[in-house]
């Protein structure tokens, strides 16, 4: 997906980027590829592949949950890595207030560089683990939306993310072809943590890669004991 196809496909979905936003994506790509030479951020470095599998893929959230485009919603991205999906969302939707959580220091520094370099406002980068921040009363159950990409299977992911979502907010789950099976296996976890499936969308990227977005409503407060201490959710999924 070259830049022209990227812009055209977004426009067809109702997302039009300004010259400044196009430049920001361009700069983000350059920073990603340059930094990737020093330490591993992504296995995908080809220009068109990055635009398709990182940038466009991240923005599918704004296509399937258009409420992200309205007012100034807060979004937390867990295990942000190189910044997907939150940074592409923030570039395309400047109204979003974004918090990124990442446990590896090198990645945290990269994310801070991107935020500064691209001049992004209302973005906070937190260094640490979701299990620890999830028990922090200052940010627990305070976000309109939580998401994560390629972090863990749904049963584990739910414990990393749902504690951050306020009542009435939503967890936006991004998955590939295993999404349906993971959702079934994660049903108990979602229920335990206060989540309930609202709807799910199955689609393909322009290269025919299968994708699924599941929108989980936060219908009850998350019990205080969750998230459990660091490492436990992945070792002993709910």
């Amino acid at each position: 997906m070259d830049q022209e196809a990227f812009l055209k496909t977004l426009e067809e979905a109702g997302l039009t980027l300004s010259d400044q936003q196009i430049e920001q994506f361009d700069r983000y790509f350059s920073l990603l590829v340059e930094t990737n030479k020093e330490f591993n951020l992504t296995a995908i470095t080809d220009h068109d592949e990055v635009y398709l599998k990182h940038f466009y893929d991240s923005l599918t959230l704004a296509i399937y949950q258009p409420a992200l485009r309205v007012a100034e919603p807060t979004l937390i991205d867990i295990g942000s890595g190189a910044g997907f999906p939150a940074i592409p969302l923030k570039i395309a939707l400047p109204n979003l207030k974004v918090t990124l959580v990442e446990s590896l220091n090198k990645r945290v520094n990269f994310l801070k560089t991107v935020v500064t370099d691209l001049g992004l406002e209302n973005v906070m980068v937190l260094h640490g683990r979701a299990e620890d921040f999830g028990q922090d009363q200052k940010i627990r159950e305070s976000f309109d939306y939580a998401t994560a990409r390629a972090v863990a299977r749904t049963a584990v992911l739910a414990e990393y993310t749902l504690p951050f979502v306020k009542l009435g907010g939503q967890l936006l789950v991004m998955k590939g072809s295993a999404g349906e099976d993971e959702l079934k296996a994660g049903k108990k976890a979602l229920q335990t943590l206060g989540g309930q499936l609202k709807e799910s969308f199955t689609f393909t990227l322009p290269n025919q890669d299968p994708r699924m977005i599941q929108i989980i409503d936060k219908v009850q407060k998350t019990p205080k004991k969750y998230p459990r201490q660091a490492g436990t959710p992945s070792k002993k999924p709910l």
Side-chain angles (χ1 to χ4, degrees):
M1 177 180 255
D2 60 23
Q3 198 176 57
E4 199 178 321
F6 171 71
L7 296 171
K8 187 170 180 282
T9 312
L10 287 180
E11 207 160 300
E12 285 164 2
L15 284 170
T16 306
L17 301 184
S18 67
D19 288 348
Q20 185 195 2
Q21 289 166 309
I22 294 166
E23 274 172 33
Q24 285 174 318
F25 273 112
D26 207 31
R27 182 71 188 131
Y28 187 16
F29 170 75
S30 301
L31 286 168
L32 181 72
V33 174
E34 279 307 305
T35 311
N36 205 60
K37 290 172 186 168
E38 296 163 36
F39 63 94
N40 183 39
L41 280 167
T42 174
I44 300 166
T45 53
D46 172 76
H47 181 275
D48 293 0
E49 293 269 292
V50 168
Y51 268 78
L52 172 69
K53 294 180 179 174
H54 284 329
F55 296 171
Y56 180 76
D57 188 33
S58 295
L59 294 177
T60 57
L61 279 187
I63 295 169
Y64 289 95
Q65 179 40 294
L68 287 170
R69 310 179 199 182
V70 184
E72 294 186 346
T74 52
L75 172 108
I76 188 166
D77 179 18
I78 301 299
S80 298
F84 309 118
I87 301 274
L89 284 168
K90 176 64 190 177
I91 295 172
L93 308 174
N95 58 307
L96 271 186
K97 293 181 172 176
V98 170
T99 299
L100 304 146
V101 176
E102 173 53 50
S103 60
L104 288 179
N105 201 37
K106 282 181 178 176
R107 289 184 190 153
V108 168
N109 291 337
F110 170 72
L111 293 169
K112 287 179 174 173
T113 300
V114 170
V115 169
T116 306
D117 207 301
L118 272 51
L120 301 176
E121 293 173 1
N122 288 322
V123 180
M124 187 185 283
V125 182
L126 298 178
H127 179 210
R129 297 184 65 141
E131 298 99 319
D132 299 326
F133 283 120
Q135 289 292 356
D136 182 339
Q137 295 311 311
K138 289 196 290 291
I139 58 173
R140 183 182 171 90
E141 296 195 309
S142 69
F143 291 88
D144 298 314
Y145 298 97
T147 192
R149 180 172 172 260
V151 167
R153 55 193 191 280
T154 303
V156 178
L157 183 74
E159 192 168 351
Y160 290 154
T161 51
L162 273 170
F164 291 100
V165 183
K166 60 167 73 158
L167 268 179
Q170 291 177 332
L171 164 60
L172 308 174
V173 180
M174 308 179 78
K175 291 290 173 187
S177 53
E180 196 66 52
D181 294 338
E182 287 191 30
L183 185 67
K184 283 185 189 130
K187 202 174 171 189
K188 178 175 173 264
L190 290 171
Q191 214 171 356
T192 303
L193 298 156
Q196 184 180 303
L197 178 70
K198 183 188 183 194
E199 54 191 330
S200 80
F201 302 96
T202 305
F203 57 99
T204 56
L205 295 181
N207 68 342
Q208 303 310 307
D209 278 357
R211 288 289 183 270
M212 186 175 252
I213 288 175
Q214 295 148 352
I215 297 182
I216 312 287
D217 281 339
K218 179 80 172 263
V219 293
Q220 285 176 309
K221 285 175 89 72
T222 300
K224 284 189 172 64
K225 65 176 173 179
Y226 302 111
R228 292 165 293 170
Q229 67 188 47
T232 308
S234 57
K235 287 195 196 88
K236 296 179 182 172
L238 289 170

